[in-house]
Amino acid sequence: MTVITIELGLITPPIGLNVFVIKSMETNLKLGQVFKAIIPFIVMDIFRLVLLVAFPILVLWLPNSMG
């Protein structure tokens, strides 16, 4: 969950470090276009985070099955 939260922080404004890296690699894109393009990814990350908070057994299933 920590990794998902940090990932969201790195792609959402005002920080958006990953977005600035993409923008610097592709000079033809405007920053607004890049932020519009990542909206589906932000929505899915928030959905995944809510799902994992609501059903923690999804996170704990694999470690519990190894023991």
Side-chain angles (χ1 to χ4, degrees):
M1 289 178 49
T2 303
V3 172
I4 296 171
T5 308
I6 291 171
E7 182 181 307
L8 274 169
L10 287 174
I11 63 172
T12 54
I15 308 286
L17 291 176
N18 291 349
V19 174
F20 289 114
V21 169
I22 293 171
K23 168 66 175 96
S24 68
M25 290 171 52
E26 183 59 51
T27 56
N28 296 333
L29 288 176
K30 294 184 180 178
L31 196 58
Q33 290 175 313
V34 178
F35 276 115
K36 284 180 188 177
I38 64 167
I39 288 174
F41 296 101
I42 293 172
V43 171
M44 290 309 297
D45 277 344
I46 292 172
F47 175 71
R48 181 174 49 164
L49 189 61
V50 168
L51 192 67
L52 293 177
V53 169
F55 304 104
I57 193 68
L58 295 172
V59 177
L60 299 173
W61 172 76
L62 185 60
N64 287 338
S65 67
M66 295 228 175

